[in-house]
Amino acid sequence: MEIRKIRMGMVGGGKNAFIGAVHRMAAGIDGQIELCCGALSSDPVKARESGELLSLPTDRIYPNFREMILRESQLPSHERMHFVSIVTPNVAHFEPAMLALEHGFHVLLEKPMTFTLNEAELLEQKVNETGLLLCVTYTYSAYPMIKQARQLVREGKLGNIRKIMVEYPQGWLSTLIETESPLAAWRTDPERGGLSSCMGDIGTHAAHLAEYISGLKITRVCADLRTFVAGRRLEDDGNVLLGFENNATGVLSASQVAAGEENALKIRIYGEKAGLEWNQQDPNTLLLKWLNEPAQIFRAGQQYLSPLAQHNTRLPAGHPEGYIEAFANIYRNFSAAVRAKINGTSPSEAMLDFPTVADGTRGMKFIETVIASGQSSQKWTAF
Amino acid sequence: MEIRKIRMGMVGGGKNAFIGAVHRMAAGIDGQIELCCGALSSDPVKARESGELLSLPTDRIYPNFREMILRESQLPSHERMHFVSIVTPNVAHFEPAMLALEHGFHVLLEKPMTFTLNEAELLEQKVNETGLLLCVTYTYSAYPMIKQARQLVREGKLGNIRKIMVEYPQGWLSTLIETESPLAAWRTDPERGGLSSCMGDIGTHAAHLAEYISGLKITRVCADLRTFVAGRRLEDDGNVLLGFENNATGVLSASQVAAGEENALKIRIYGEKAGLEWNQQDPNTLLLKWLNEPAQIFRAGQQYLSPLAQHNTRLPAGHPEGYIEAFANIYRNFSAAVRAKINGTSPSEAMLDFPTVADGTRGMKFIETVIASGQSSQKWTAF
Amino acid sequence: MEIRKIRMGMVGGGKNAFIGAVHRMAAGIDGQIELCCGALSSDPVKARESGELLSLPTDRIYPNFREMILRESQLPSHERMHFVSIVTPNVAHFEPAMLALEHGFHVLLEKPMTFTLNEAELLEQKVNETGLLLCVTYTYSAYPMIKQARQLVREGKLGNIRKIMVEYPQGWLSTLIETESPLAAWRTDPERGGLSSCMGDIGTHAAHLAEYISGLKITRVCADLRTFVAGRRLEDDGNVLLGFENNATGVLSASQVAAGEENALKIRIYGEKAGLEWNQQDPNTLLLKWLNEPAQIFRAGQQYLSPLAQHNTRLPAGHPEGYIEAFANIYRNFSAAVRAKINGTSPSEAMLDFPTVADGTRGMKFIETVIASGQSSQKWTAF
Amino acid sequence: MEIRKIRMGMVGGGKNAFIGAVHRMAAGIDGQIELCCGALSSDPVKARESGELLSLPTDRIYPNFREMILRESQLPSHERMHFVSIVTPNVAHFEPAMLALEHGFHVLLEKPMTFTLNEAELLEQKVNETGLLLCVTYTYSAYPMIKQARQLVREGKLGNIRKIMVEYPQGWLSTLIETESPLAAWRTDPERGGLSSCMGDIGTHAAHLAEYISGLKITRVCADLRTFVAGRRLEDDGNVLLGFENNATGVLSASQVAAGEENALKIRIYGEKAGLEWNQQDPNTLLLKWLNEPAQIFRAGQQYLSPLAQHNTRLPAGHPEGYIEAFANIYRNFSAAVRAKINGTSPSEAMLDFPTVADGTRGMKFIETVIASGQSSQKWTAF
């Protein structure tokens, strides 16, 4: 019989976790995924309480990811989870992901994919060996207007691309809040967050978005990184000159200390014939600016959009969809691909439109390269 | 034992229905409601297919609402639905709602609440008799910045209110699409939509929003209603002068033929000391314009917002929430109130912050009054 | 010999006057008009001081408009003024204008053109008799994007017009500032401002703009007028339902007590095929919203604009022009028409694109009609 | 006797010149400056025709700047020009400026001030020797909201500044239009424009604005410069990492090939406590974004602005002033300082608020430094 609902297990995301709750909302909105089990905290007591709050069956609230993966793999196929969603701090991504793959489970991972580039490469190798699906939640590229932007580039509306400006200013780390905020604490802690705070947490989103829309790879970087807040252990601001394939140029600027900014990811791409502009805080609008014609305002939900852009919305134009819906697009596409695999059919192109292990590895390489450039007195560091 | 997940049955909302799908997304996003049964179409075949698509248990896919309500009422309490969500065309609201109340079920209804004002009054009487909860989905008043706007008015930030400008332009009915679009067809059909198309479908949202934020009741109206599209059976445009309690004045303008507009509900409220402005298409921003000071931009997700505004968001500032989340606020608050009732506790003020049967009745009265005014040569019609 | 610089005399506009100074900036910016004489105040001392501040020759600083007009008419033609600009309070428009026409001078007048409709009709008659030029400064219709808007309507881009929404909220009279501000004092004084404050000062701009762009005349009005500020002698707020030729509908809302608003004139026009939107506070942008295509952003200074829109700018796109430049468009066009008359050539269509005595009379009729409607219990008052 | 009107001579700016016409509009708008003579073109025939079009007296239309400066210097003081405005291509700035200073005339110069840094230093030396006034038209720092921004920084509203993002995208050189457009031709010609096109024409504005508002000097740069259009002789795009005094960081990005952009100069400055944002295309708005409070919208013409911001507007809030008015602020302030010098009084601080020879020299140094950095493989080049 054909499977309809996909069963998800979750690692991390216990009480008070921010991103775990977002993942559950994203998985829940479209009614196609069921949370069936979890190892929601590294603290077994908290894991249990969190599972109960989510009405999980008692016997599928696990004290840790190892037990979850082993026990689930022993359940009959009509019961056991289909994939595992891993929403722990960066340092705790690799182990559950690898174990899940080894036990035949598809995997969905928060970005950045791993703690080190080496871990990423190991995961990528394992995915290639097993043929399992691995998805990394580069959420912002899942907005419908990003699909449209990519399509406009592909259709040649911009001509050759010359310049990409991507910026991601946030202000929430303008003071030393890591002493109070658990969210801030692990992100700015080299033992849990990794090499980088600003570039690892948000710069990597910006880089992914630039490459996703433009179809061009970054080939070199020149980074100026700073730690502005006294007592902070990782960088909280960075400006990066970019070189792309095809001789395109660009700037990536990210900050966690841009006081007064919320989550103002913005991208502009200029080609020979036109320019594109998109702001995450007004995500349903995409500007296409022509050289000698009136600029056009593309809007989510309109029927003139490309099929992929339309596929990634739920509502008619003017009914704003937001961050959770973008996140849900990844879950919906990924779970549809998982479903196709299970049912023995070929996933469509739209189902496969989610960030993969290759994107995850590339993101890790971006972080390592940009941190190296920040420490170099050379202008350019190859990527 | 304390109940956590609330069980919902649905009447209407089968395959291809717009608003039914929205209701399910809204109910699903927060993981606190489970769709347990449905009578999803008046066509039994479609009802069955729709139920299967939603993975409902076969024995709880009902061929019609009567059977659903009767059969559910005979199930043991730990199985049977807690409330019914009714998302049929207007003409088919009253019967299932009344039957559900008679069988002890709480009810959630799409707006406008009923087909006639008389039906609304009967429902209101029944709700008052039974003490059951009835919620009407005036979605737009559930946005967090509307909560903030209401709070700013209550705190006296505006002083006495002088003028309320509310507008709701849409363009989707600019041509006679009712010949092709089922959504358009029933809304413009007097036998299914009721007295009014434009005022009943969107004008009533605008009126509710104005009263909700300002805390003032409309006391009189002067309406100019039009049917612009040849062959259309109900009005598709209207401009209404408003009088409010407290001598405030205003305008309500709604249109389904404002070519090029999507769903551009907007409200501005001016008092002696300041003015407020909010746009549904940019819902996370609220402007507070001062007389001789810089205007302020309030933003959803910020910690300086009122507790109720914060309660009705899920994400930090800069992560846009939209229409589905606003809708979900109603489901979350309503289902929390239902849960409190079931568990024998008192619902908090935040739980009870959803539009009630009284709002629904008032909406029906608005429609009847404004249609009467449109036909009158008198300037003012009392409301 | 061909005349190049046009000589202007000014009545009113002495020290501290707001609008007189604006007129001089508007006349000065393009270098085609020379202020040659003035009767700048009804107070002869202030008239002299004001003239000296402006470096007028001593013998052409006149103590009152009568002496100015008589003495100028006796000067040789290569010295005497070519036209008179009248910038006094409304009550003092008619007499100098009529006297100037009687002595063969062209006239430029602030709006509203006169104190009463009867005066307006007398002026119109005199203009028709003499063939002299009379211009009324309905400034807002002189913005380049308004020229473009009118052109788009004429070209049929919108199809038949269905609805016109025009609003003009200001907040500067939110309190009883007429006790301190001379600008506020005469506008709210029936003896100097006329029948109306809000409708006469700003409502008339809104009505002119609606008719200018759409090419449709208002045929009936239904007005709700209010005086919100205690102690004020004229209305400070008004909402008006509009009927237009061709069965179009609309709303005009104007306010001087919309707290926090500056000078937020805005117009939207909806036709069968598209909608237009323009805001005075962002005057170089015009939105054209299509039914099923991306909206377009027309921008001042672009070469894709109509010839008349291009004629009424001075700078390339992206170099914002504002209120003074719009005002200067009227002066430039009017003075070019005056120059053509003097040089015996035919003014071009672009030169004649300024509001005329007929527009001025229509403005007075609008004020009288809307005030009458405000006092009527009938729904509609014919216009 | 006290001088009121200031007499200006102009070098360059003949028929069809863009910036010369802007200078005359800017000088004319406030009625305080009289154009008394000119050497408007290096072509004597065009110089004469241009002078006649401007109604200059025949004997003060000069065939070249040398004759103008010599002949004017021999006129009696109540007739001769007070200052000379030089609006020629960059290569022709130095000679007339130096000659004018040598003959005792104050000087106003288009930016960039000279062709080479060496010329700039010679001019600065001469200004310091003579005590004459020299003004360079860095127009954008003359907008009222820039005065307000500078004031907010000075008052410490932002705390220590951490990051400055300034960008100046234009799209007008996206194709090789220099073969047709004289404006484009000299700007992209090393013999007339100088070392740089993009950085010299617009990058220098961006750098000036950043230093003007922040009060911080750029100390080092890392530039990536490009020539995108085949056949172009100078760079048309550049991205520059910036270091400032006080350890602040930043990015300056400028482009003449950002297809679809008009003149989109924008600056954001982030400090410890708040951030500022200003866009030249919406120049009357300044955003002040607070860390944990609602952002504030400062608007030109409001009485809550600083005295200097108020001094640099002419109209009440909501009546947009634009580029010409900003330009006119420089002319008004500079000519008021000239007047004070002539009348033997001390110029006030507001009069002296215009860009000086020191700003001009700094601009030339910026251009040379950034071009050198663009050619260097070192990361940082000291400024």
Side-chain angles (χ1 to χ4, degrees), chain C residues 342-354:
Chain C
I342 293 168
N343 291 330
T345 62
S346 286
S348 68
E349 197 193 349
M351 291 174 188
L352 290 174
D353 186 36
F354 56 78

Side-chain angles (χ1 to χ4, degrees), chain A residues 161-163 165 167 169 171 173-175 220 222-224 226 228-229 237-243 247-251 253-255 257-261 266 268 270-275 277 289-291 373-380, chain D residues 161-163 165 167 169 171 173-175 220 222-224 226 228-229 237-243 247-251 253-255 257-261 266 268 270-275 277 289-291 373-380:
Chain A
I161 288 174
R162 288 171 168 170
K163 185 164 188 167
M165 304 290 294
E167 59 187 54
L173 297 184
S174 288
T175 57
R220 60 181 190 176
C222 170
D224 179 22
R226 301 290 180 89
F228 277 109
V229 174
D237 184 88
N239 302 316
V240 190
L241 302 179
L242 303 175
N247 200 34
T249 184
V251 179
S253 176
S255 186
V257 296
E261 298 292 355
K266 175 178 172 179
R268 285 166 292 173
Y270 299 104
E272 295 165 319
K273 298 190 287 183
E277 179 175 332
K289 305 180 184 181
W290 295 101
L291 211 49
S373 171
Q375 290 160 352
S376 167
S377 63
Q378 284 279 104
K379 195 181 237 174
W380 294 108
Chain D
I161 288 173
R162 289 171 169 172
K163 184 164 189 166
M165 304 291 293
E167 60 187 53
L173 297 184
S174 288
T175 57
R220 60 181 191 175
C222 170
D224 179 21
R226 298 292 178 91
F228 277 109
V229 175
D237 184 87
N239 302 316
V240 190
L241 302 179
L242 303 175
N247 200 35
T249 185
V251 178
S253 176
S255 185
V257 297
E261 297 292 356
K266 175 176 171 180
R268 286 166 291 173
Y270 298 104
E272 296 165 319
K273 298 189 288 183
E277 178 175 332
K289 303 180 185 182
W290 294 101
L291 211 48
S373 171
Q375 291 160 350
S376 167
S377 63
Q378 285 278 104
K379 194 181 236 175
W380 294 109

Side-chain angles (χ1 to χ4, degrees), chain A residues 293-295, chain C residues 138-155 158 209-210 212-214 265-269 275-288 296-323 325-327 329 332-333 353, chain D residues 262 281 320:
Chain A
E293 296 293 330
Chain C
Y138 280 112
T139 314
Y140 300 105
S141 62
Y143 274 108
M145 300 321 285
I146 297 303
K147 307 299 178 188
Q148 184 67 21
R150 179 177 164 96
Q151 178 65 19
L152 291 169
V153 171
R154 284 184 175 185
E155 287 172 1
L158 279 66
L209 198 63
Y212 179 79
I213 300 176
S214 70
L265 175 60
K266 174 177 172 180
I267 189 162
R268 285 167 292 172
I269 301 186
L276 282 174
E277 179 174 331
W278 180 81
N279 294 279
Q280 194 270 149
Q281 295 187 175
D282 181 18
N284 298 302
T285 296
L286 174 70
L287 288 182
L288 178 56
Q296 291 181 293
I297 309 173
F298 287 78
R299 292 273 302 163
Q302 291 281 6
Q303 292 179 16
Y304 53 68
L305 297 180
S306 71
L308 197 57
Q310 292 195 46
H311 170 74
N312 284 286
T313 55
R314 292 150 188 82
L315 300 176
H319 297 75
E321 296 187 50
Y323 178 82
E325 287 80 8
F327 222 119
N329 291 338
R332 193 171 61 172
N333 294 344
D353 186 36
Chain D
E262 296 175 345
Q281 296 187 175

Side-chain angles (χ1 to χ4, degrees), chain C residues 151-182:
Chain C
Q151 178 65 19
L152 291 169
V153 171
R154 284 184 175 185
E155 287 172 1
K157 288 284 194 294
L158 279 66
N160 282 326
I161 289 174
R162 287 172 169 170
K163 184 163 188 168
I164 300 178
M165 304 291 294
V166 61
E167 58 187 56
Y168 199 153
Q170 295 183 328
W172 71 300
L173 298 184
S174 288
T175 58
L176 198 70
I177 63 163
E178 46 263 62
T179 54
E180 295 164 24
S181 155

Side-chain angles (χ1 to χ4, degrees), chain C residues 26-347:
Chain C
I29 197 170
D30 291 309
Q32 300 175 2
I33 297 168
E34 184 192 348
L35 179 66
C36 67
C37 65
L40 299 157
S41 171
S42 53
D43 168 352
V45 174
K46 196 173 161 197
R48 175 141 312 271
E49 287 172 4
S50 300
E52 286 169 358
L53 273 172
L54 295 170
S55 305
L56 286 181
T58 311
D59 59 344
R60 295 177 82 180
I61 303 175
Y62 301 102
N64 58 61
F65 72 84
R66 281 182 196 83
E67 201 166 322
M68 176 169 119
I69 290 169
L70 295 179
R71 298 253 306 267
E72 288 287 319
S73 69
Q74 292 157 2
L75 290 178
S77 70
H78 69 277
E79 279 189 35
R80 75 165 168 255
M81 68 177 178
H82 293 118
F83 76 93
V84 62
S85 171
I86 300 171
V87 295
T88 48
N90 305 347
V91 69
H93 283 189
F94 175 74
E95 282 190 81
M98 186 55 91
L99 195 67
L101 292 171
E102 287 168 352
H103 286 78
F105 293 109
H106 304 285
V107 171
L108 184 148
L109 265 165
E110 246 308 308
K111 54 79 344 229
M113 187 166 74
T114 50
F115 195 63
T116 65
L117 175 55
N118 182 47
E119 288 177 355
E121 290 165 346
L122 292 171
L123 278 189
E124 186 164 2
Q125 195 181 326
K126 177 61 75 181
V127 165
N128 291 339
E129 281 169 27
T130 58
L132 291 163
L133 296 168
L134 188 150
C135 173
V136 183
T137 50
Y138 280 112
T139 314
Y140 300 105
S141 62
Y143 274 108
M145 300 321 285
I146 297 303
K147 307 299 178 188
Q148 184 67 21
R150 179 177 164 96
Q151 178 65 19
L152 291 169
V153 171
R154 284 184 175 185
E155 287 172 1
K157 288 284 194 294
L158 279 66
N160 282 326
I161 289 174
R162 287 172 169 170
K163 184 163 188 168
I164 300 178
M165 304 291 294
V166 61
E167 58 187 56
Y168 199 153
Q170 295 183 328
W172 71 300
L173 298 184
S174 288
T175 58
L176 198 70
I177 63 163
E178 46 263 62
T179 54
E180 295 164 24
S181 155
L183 265 68
W186 74 255
R187 278 174 173 80
T188 56
D189 174 357
E191 275 78 47
R192 289 181 287 166
L195 275 179
S196 163
S197 170
C198 181
M199 287 295 148
D201 197 37
I202 59 177
T204 181
H205 274 301
H208 176 74
L209 198 63
E211 294 193 346
Y212 179 79
I213 300 176
S214 70
L216 299 176
K217 298 293 179 197
I218 299 169
T219 56
R220 60 180 191 176
V221 302
C222 169
D224 180 20
L225 309 180
R226 298 293 179 89
T227 304
F228 277 108
V229 175
R232 181 154 294 154
R233 299 174 64 199
L234 292 170
E235 104 287 6
D236 49 25
D237 184 87
N239 302 316
V240 189
L241 302 178
L242 303 175
F244 288 87
E245 292 171 337
N246 222 10
N247 200 34
T249 184
V251 179
L252 185 158
S253 176
S255 186
Q256 297 170 317
V257 296
E261 297 292 354
E262 296 174 346
N263 195 44
L265 175 60
K266 174 177 172 180
I267 189 162
R268 285 167 292 172
I269 301 186
Y270 298 104
E272 293 165 320
K273 299 191 287 184
L276 282 174
E277 179 174 331
W278 180 81
N279 294 279
Q280 194 270 149
Q281 295 187 175
D282 181 18
N284 298 302
T285 296
L286 174 70
L287 288 182
L288 178 56
K289 304 181 185 181
W290 295 100
L291 210 47
N292 290 308
E293 297 293 329
Q296 291 181 293
I297 309 173
F298 287 78
R299 292 273 302 163
Q302 291 281 6
Q303 292 179 16
Y304 53 68
L305 297 180
S306 71
L308 197 57
Q310 292 195 46
H311 170 74
N312 284 286
T313 55
R314 292 150 188 82
L315 300 176
H319 297 75
E321 296 187 50
Y323 178 82
I324 297 173
E325 287 80 8
F327 222 119
N329 291 338
I330 295 182
Y331 267 93
R332 193 171 61 172
N333 294 344
F334 174 70
S335 68
V338 166
R339 183 184 302 109
K341 285 262 182 185
I342 293 168
N343 291 330
T345 62
S346 286

Side-chain angles (χ1 to χ4, degrees), chain D residues 97-98 101 105 107 113 120-135 356-358:
Chain D
M98 185 56 90
L101 292 171
F105 294 109
V107 172
M113 187 166 74
E121 289 165 347
L122 291 172
L123 278 189
E124 185 164 2
Q125 195 181 326
K126 178 60 76 179
V127 165
N128 291 338
E129 279 169 27
T130 58
L132 291 163
L133 296 168
L134 188 149
C135 173
T356 65
V357 70

